[in-house]
Amino acid sequence: RTPKWGDQSEMVFRDSLVGALTNGQIAEYKDAFAIFDRDGSGSIESWEIKRVLNLQAAGASRRREMSDDDILDMINKANPNIDGNTMLTEADFVAMMAEAEYNEFFREAFAALDEAGNGWVPASSITDLMREFNEESDVMSDINMLKMMKRFDIGEEGHIDYEAFVNLMMSTSGTGA
């Protein structure tokens, strides 16, 4: 998801993600914010974020150092109301972490279905899963499920890639893609 500047629907989406966090998660993210906010100003400037993330990257074998542009892009995605922003507030940081948590949920769900690690899953696996879900909660009819499956990028081989999977799951959750 790449926000558009001043897009109110993006802010509503982020607010809904923050609203779904537990009190423990919010406290954890606020504690992490305090680690970044070394001067106690109540906001994290780009240089503070870069310093902490690059220290982490130095200690990890598969991480790369983040450039100034990477950091500014991350900050601007965290608060799409301000174009050219160079700092994060605590609320922006918590929203950014909530979105990261949300995205991780989809990555883990897709990985569980993509046991072979191919980067795709057979459409039949998704339809079987949705039918099982449908039987338990009567969320959608078979006809609606087939219409929805046709809306998404299913290759000629009958495969669904990660992006199509996320779009499909979001369309069933009422969150919207």
Side-chain angles (χ1 to χ4, degrees):
R1 261 182 104 90
T2 301
K4 296 176 184 76
W5 304 121
D7 184 352
Q8 192 59 36
S9 65
E10 183 67 25
M11 299 311 291
V12 169
F13 172 72
R14 286 171 185 256
D15 288 346
S16 71
L17 293 179
V18 171
L21 294 174
T22 66
N23 289 338
Q25 287 172 308
I26 292 171
E28 180 181 332
Y29 297 146
K30 287 182 176 186
D31 288 346
F33 178 85
I35 291 170
F36 282 92
D37 185 21
R38 305 267 303 180
D39 63 3
S41 66
S43 63
I44 307 170
E45 296 190 37
S46 60
W47 66 268
E48 292 173 297
I49 295 170
K50 184 176 180 179
R51 191 184 78 188
V52 172
L53 291 179
N54 285 341
L55 283 173
Q56 283 185 322
S61 61
R62 299 184 70 190
R63 286 193 117 121
R64 68 171 178 84
E65 275 201 23
M66 296 185 76
S67 70
D68 289 340
D69 287 341
D70 292 335
I71 301 293
L72 292 175
D73 188 47
M74 181 179 70
I75 290 171
N76 281 303
K77 284 178 182 174
N79 186 345
N81 279 332
I82 303 173
D83 191 1
N85 194 8
T86 61
M87 66 178 62
L88 288 176
T89 65
E90 184 179 72
D92 295 336
F93 184 83
V94 170
M96 182 178 73
M97 296 306 293
E99 186 167 4
E101 184 87 18
Y102 179 75
N103 291 335
E104 184 61 22
F105 167 78
F106 282 115
R107 279 191 290 278
E108 289 176 3
F110 187 79
L113 294 170
D114 181 20
E115 294 173 359
N118 296 321
W120 54 264
V121 295
S124 60
S125 295
I126 302 295
T127 56
D128 290 348
L129 181 68
M130 292 176 76
R131 277 199 180 92
E132 185 177 315
F133 182 71
N134 190 28
E135 286 176 14
E136 293 177 7
S137 63
D138 198 30
V139 170
M140 65 180 68
S141 69
D142 281 349
I143 293 169
N144 286 339
M145 183 175 57
L146 291 172
K147 283 180 187 176
M148 185 173 40
M149 293 293 288
K150 287 180 182 179
R151 284 182 32 212
F152 297 95
D153 185 24
I154 299 172
E156 291 177 19
E157 314 82 21
H159 299 157
I160 297 176
D161 65 12
Y162 174 75
E163 186 176 334
F165 172 77
V166 170
N167 289 336
L168 180 63
M169 293 299 105
M170 288 180 68
S171 74
T172 63
S173 72
T175 306

